[in-house]
Amino acid sequence: MTVAQQPEALSFECETGNYHTFCPISCVAWLYQKIEDSFFLVVGTKTCGYFLQNAMGVMIFAEPRYAMAELEEGDISAQLNDYEELKRLCLQIKRDRNPSVIVWIGTCTTEIIKTDLEGLAPKLESEIGIPIVVARANGLDYAFTQGEDTVLAAMANRCPDKAPVAETETDKNERNAIQKLLNFGKKKEDVAQEESEYVDHPPLVLFGSLPDPVVTQLTLELKKHGVKVSGWLPAKRFTELPVIEEGYYVAGVNPFLSRTATTLMRRRKCKLIGAPFPIGPDGTRAWIEKICSVFGITPQGLDEREAQIWESLEDYVKLIRGKSVFFMGDNLLEISQARFLVRCGMTVHEIGIPYMDKRYQAAELALLEKTCQEMGTPIPKIVEKPDNYNQLQRIYELKPDLVITGMAHANPLEARGINTKWSVEFTFAQIHGFTNARDILELVTRPLRRNNNLKDLGWDKLVKEEAKI
């Protein structure tokens, strides 16, 4: 008698490593560009200032809307008045830039000395007449991309809880930045005709900071199936934050936004749609299908749409099919990226991840498991807070074709003949939706294509000969 073999299941481990990632105050780099009427004030030490200068120095001529409030010895020993100093800086920001919102970013130092930013902000806000949002983005508690999570969680509390009483449906659309963009150049009667194509469903708000072209793409993908996006958090402008009422549906586009999801559910009484994330054609399809299923909509043409995208990616996929990859863990996109690469035909040895919220990523984990079973590849081990020393030993033993890692470990691994790709590049690239899957594979295959080009030129033989000498 034969016993049916049970399918392999996901395995989770937690090691003792700390967060070996960029400091989360780096979220300022993309958020100040996304929220166009904002100003970010990072409250920290000179070390924080040096980091911001180095991480974002290339933008120095763009007159960026962020600044550093540097804590001196007098601040740390409580000899100076925090309120007066912050008031002076905020008045200067108001005079020079006049933003719609000032975001205070707390750092490790403000955590350690227990600076009461949340207590100071409301008083100062009423005095200077500009909203002040407080977000903690310290590297003690948060990994690289979780800085955005704390900012969006704080902004979720500032979203209006009801539309103005006299506001009509047309007024709502006009106030919604996405609708303005989609309706640009159209006649009112054409807009009204398109509005009638939407299915009648509860309001849906999407959260996650994405470049405007990607926001438009995902909004249009849902529109094809009759799903109307009521707003995005964050909006292009703080004054255009979406209305969020009790009972609204919300869905995230990034795996690192668990705190924002929790805030929307607990504080704003929203209903979270637990879907995989729209990264790769498979993830985007699953994301759309889940949103449609919640609203009782049967999506049309998704099979053909996904097949068409996979066909266009074949020139990249054939470079990595049959190869292996190892994720050291950096930006919390690892589960989604691993699932997509498994679908491309790669074997994933291990998924390191700085922080794992199994509830928020439940649908993504289920899709990873299903994808591995369908592709006939071993299910990777997921290691939270990996110990880098142990990881390096496993990498030397497994000899993967590619390691996706933080910047700190890339050069040492390359020196030992191991192909690497910086995970931070995926954070800044446009990787969401059907049409941007090519950008993910462009990054993944670059080290492999580089090696192929070097072989064609005979450089690999020269390197081996030099190594012998």
Side-chain angles (χ1 to χ4, degrees), residues 325-345:
V325 62
F326 188 109
F327 288 86
M328 289 193 76
D330 185 48
N331 58 9
L332 276 72
L333 294 169
E334 287 84 10
I335 304 290
S336 301
Q337 286 178 271
R339 177 257 306 150
F340 169 56
L341 294 180
V342 168
R343 181 62 71 182
C344 290

Side-chain angles (χ1 to χ4, degrees), residues 207-274:
F207 59 94
S209 175
L210 297 178
D212 291 341
V214 185
V215 166
T216 306
Q217 287 167 20
L218 291 178
T219 304
L220 287 173
E221 290 290 351
L222 289 170
K223 183 181 178 183
K224 288 176 187 175
H225 305 285
V227 177
K228 182 174 183 178
V229 178
S230 299
W232 279 78
L233 174 68
K236 278 186 72 173
R237 300 180 65 81
F238 181 76
T239 52
E240 295 171 348
L241 283 175
V243 173
I244 297 180
E245 296 181 29
E246 185 175 335
Y248 274 30
Y249 282 82
V250 293
V253 295
N254 274 320
F256 47 77
L257 299 174
S258 57
R259 182 178 290 263
T260 306
T262 303
T263 301
L264 288 167
M265 287 190 292
R266 293 181 181 173
R267 296 278 182 91
R268 306 308 303 264
K269 310 299 182 190
C270 295
K271 297 175 182 176
L272 177 69
I273 299 176

Side-chain angles (χ1 to χ4, degrees), residues 33-249:
Q33 295 178 77
K34 175 65 183 177
I35 310 167
E36 296 177 354
D37 57 348
S38 63
F39 194 97
F40 285 78
L41 184 65
V42 181
V43 186
T45 61
K46 282 185 169 59
T47 305
C48 306
Y50 294 145
F51 172 74
L52 285 177
Q53 279 182 312
N54 284 289
M56 297 185 273
V58 291
M59 305 173 191
I60 197 157
F61 299 111
E63 199 177 11
R65 294 182 312 282
Y66 65 87
M68 186 74 216
E70 287 187 354
L71 295 164
E72 303 289 349
E73 288 182 13
D75 297 295
I76 294 170
S77 59
Q79 294 174 354
L80 301 178
N81 188 312
D82 295 336
Y83 182 82
E84 291 301 323
E85 284 295 298
L86 287 168
K87 178 182 174 182
R88 181 181 63 81
L89 289 169
C90 289
L91 285 172
Q92 184 180 341
I93 291 166
K94 181 180 180 180
R95 183 177 67 248
D96 295 345
R97 300 299 185 87
N98 195 30
S100 298
V101 61
I102 298 173
V103 183
W104 287 354
I105 302 289
T107 61
C108 301
T109 312
T110 58
E111 293 287 280
I112 292 166
I113 65 173
K114 306 298 181 189
T115 306
D116 185 19
L117 296 177
E118 286 88 352
L120 296 171
K123 183 181 176 186
L124 185 53
E125 179 179 321
S126 62
E127 196 167 338
I128 68 172
I130 294 179
I132 297 174
V133 173
V134 178
R136 301 201 174 271
N138 68 86
L140 299 170
D141 299 320
Y142 305 113
F144 166 38
T145 47
Q146 287 179 288
E148 176 186 326
D149 193 19
T150 61
V151 173
L152 296 193
M155 284 202 170
N157 290 317
R158 296 301 188 105
C159 291
D161 57 4
K162 61 177 83 171
V165 177
E167 191 175 48
T168 64
E169 190 65 32
T170 308
D171 293 332
K172 284 183 186 178
N173 289 341
E174 281 300 310
R175 188 172 51 79
N176 188 328
I178 306 158
Q179 291 302 324
K180 285 182 188 176
L181 196 61
L182 296 178
N183 298 339
F184 181 75
K186 294 180 182 176
K187 296 178 181 176
K188 284 191 175 180
E189 48 271 29
D190 293 337
V191 172
Q193 173 69 27
E194 288 186 8
E195 286 292 315
S196 65
E197 296 173 8
Y198 287 117
V199 175
D200 185 22
H201 63 79
L204 169 68
V205 174
L206 302 178
F207 59 94
S209 175
L210 297 178
D212 291 341
V214 185
V215 166
T216 306
Q217 287 167 20
L218 291 178
T219 304
L220 287 173
E221 290 290 351
L222 289 170
K223 183 181 178 183
K224 288 176 187 175
H225 305 285
V227 177
K228 182 174 183 178
V229 178
S230 299
W232 279 78
L233 174 68
K236 278 186 72 173
R237 300 180 65 81
F238 181 76
T239 52
E240 295 171 348
L241 283 175
V243 173
I244 297 180
E245 296 181 29
E246 185 175 335
Y248 274 30
Y249 282 82

Side-chain angles (χ1 to χ4, degrees), residues 294-451:
V294 168
F295 295 139
I297 299 168
T298 304
Q300 303 293 326
L302 269 182
D303 288 346
E304 296 81 0
R305 180 83 166 115
E306 186 186 0
Q308 179 189 13
I309 297 298
W310 280 118
E311 188 178 344
S312 70
L313 298 175
E314 182 55 31
D315 54 336
Y316 280 114
V317 172
K318 66 184 180 185
L319 293 172
I320 58 174
R321 190 178 285 124
K323 289 187 162 48
S324 60
V325 62
F326 188 109
F327 288 86
M328 289 193 76
D330 185 48
N331 58 9
L332 276 72
L333 294 169
E334 287 84 10
I335 304 290
S336 301
Q337 286 178 271
R339 177 257 306 150
F340 169 56
L341 294 180
V342 168
R343 181 62 71 182
C344 290
M346 294 192 84
T347 299
V348 180
H349 289 304
E350 178 176 311
I351 305 173
I353 187 167
Y355 170 74
M356 183 81 232
D357 188 320
K358 291 181 185 176
R359 294 169 304 171
Y360 180 56
Q361 292 212 48
E364 187 65 83
L365 290 167
L367 185 57
L368 170 64
E369 192 172 353
K370 179 184 173 188
T371 303
C372 289
Q373 289 165 359
E374 288 177 356
M375 297 300 292
T377 187
I379 294 180
K381 178 173 62 175
I382 298 170
V383 183
E384 186 179 357
K385 282 205 294 187
D387 182 292
N388 285 160
Y389 176 81
N390 293 337
Q391 271 194 326
L392 290 172
Q393 305 312 308
R394 295 194 288 269
I395 288 170
Y396 296 151
E397 183 184 333
L398 293 165
K399 295 182 172 54
D401 296 298
L402 179 68
V403 175
I404 296 178
T405 177
M407 295 174 73
H409 306 104
N411 283 351
L413 286 170
E414 289 281 353
R416 287 159 177 79
I418 297 167
N419 293 320
T420 64
K421 194 65 194 159
W422 292 349
S423 49
V424 69
E425 292 186 72
F426 296 95
T427 312
F428 288 98
Q430 296 185 12
I431 64 172
H432 295 74
F434 284 121
T435 55
N436 294 314
R438 196 173 186 85
D439 288 18
I440 309 175
L441 292 178
E442 170 69 27
L443 292 172
V444 169
T445 60
R446 193 172 291 165
L448 306 176
R449 287 183 283 121
R450 177 197 64 204
N451 286 354

